[in-house]
Amino acid sequence: MKTVAFVLRYALVLAWLLVMSLVGVLLIPVLFRNPSFNHYLASFGAWGLRWITGVRINLEGSRSLESFQPCVYVANHQDNFDIYVFGSLFPRKTIVIGKREIAWIPVFNLFYYAAGNIFLHRRKRIKAIAGITEAGSKVRERGLSVLIFPEGTRNRTGHGLLPFKKGAFHLAVEAGIPIVPLVASPLSAVLDYRERRLSPGVIRVRVLDPIETRGLKRQDLDGLIDSCRTRMLEAYEALSKG
């Protein structure tokens, strides 16, 4: 019965994601390149996923996420379920940077582009830098913020954080805007593929103090990354202990 319940609930999640994509396409004529396109669609999607899964997202922090803008939000990446985790609190006037492969996902790719998000060539350094530069220009010219998973891929180990890539930090330094770390507690509290479990529960997302980048240079990137990762790792371990 547990396996059947898991399959049915997960099937509903996938079906809802398809509905989200279709709604996103329908919104293109109305919200094309609107800086809050992502916010509206993510809020709609989170409403449905909260009803399907029974999972609640608790934001821990004394300030609203939008009060830090413009900024670069960096978050840990555990699973595709992060679409719900961070989508439920997605700020207005925020775009995302995703891998180029997203461009090949039918339907989803249409509203991803229409929302002003950026495709990044992660395996081609020159094109990757160009993508970061494009994002930096949008941040400066339009006062936008960016959400990035600095690990670059999903960390399903259930332990710690993967090494961080430089893109998010390079962008923040170039634009002279703060980095705002977001750390979600382990998804194992509600999701376990091996045990075929997707159950109601609470995922906590902790907002850490912003890290200023004004005055920093490219040669400061390694230190900036180490400092941010250390703080996020400490927060993740604290959240893991409850």
Side-chain angles (χ1 to χ4, degrees), residues 17-34:
L17 293 178
L18 178 58
V19 170
M20 279 180 62
S21 297
L22 294 174
V23 170
V25 171
L26 293 175
L27 288 175
I28 290 176
V30 180
L31 296 175
F32 185 76
R33 293 306 170 104
N34 184 305

Side-chain angles (χ1 to χ4, degrees), residues 16-99:
W16 184 250
L17 293 178
L18 178 58
V19 170
M20 279 180 62
S21 297
L22 294 174
V23 170
V25 171
L26 293 175
L27 288 175
I28 290 176
V30 180
L31 296 175
F32 185 76
R33 293 306 170 104
N34 184 305
S36 293
F37 193 148
N38 288 319
H39 165 77
Y40 295 129
L41 188 58
S43 297
F44 169 73
W47 170 80
L49 290 173
R50 182 166 53 248
W51 180 81
I52 292 170
T53 65
V55 176
R56 293 183 291 110
I57 310 300
N58 285 355
L59 183 63
E60 300 180 355
S62 59
R63 296 169 57 182
S64 70
L65 290 183
E66 293 172 8
S67 68
F68 298 105
Q69 295 182 336
C71 64
V72 174
Y73 302 103
V74 293
N76 59 319
H77 192 14
Q78 303 177 69
D79 187 81
N80 288 336
F81 198 69
D82 289 330
I83 291 175
Y84 170 48
V85 174
F86 295 105
S88 64
L89 47 85
F90 204 91
R92 292 176 173 81
K93 299 186 67 177
T94 301
I95 60 175
V96 298
I97 296 179
K99 56 187 179 181

Side-chain angles (χ1 to χ4, degrees), residues 95-104 112-113 116-136 138 146-153 165-171:
I95 60 175
V96 298
I97 296 179
K99 56 187 179 181
R100 185 68 181 178
E101 288 79 1
I102 291 175
W104 299 104
Y112 186 93
Y113 170 77
N117 299 314
I118 296 172
F119 298 108
L120 188 65
H121 291 266
R122 294 188 304 175
R123 298 178 182 177
K124 297 183 179 180
R125 186 172 182 275
I126 295 178
K127 290 186 177 181
I129 292 175
I132 293 296
T133 301
E134 179 187 352
K138 288 187 176 183
V146 183
L147 173 65
I148 303 178
F149 295 116
E151 292 168 284
T153 190
K165 298 184 181 300
K166 293 185 176 181
F169 305 91
H170 177 79
L171 188 158

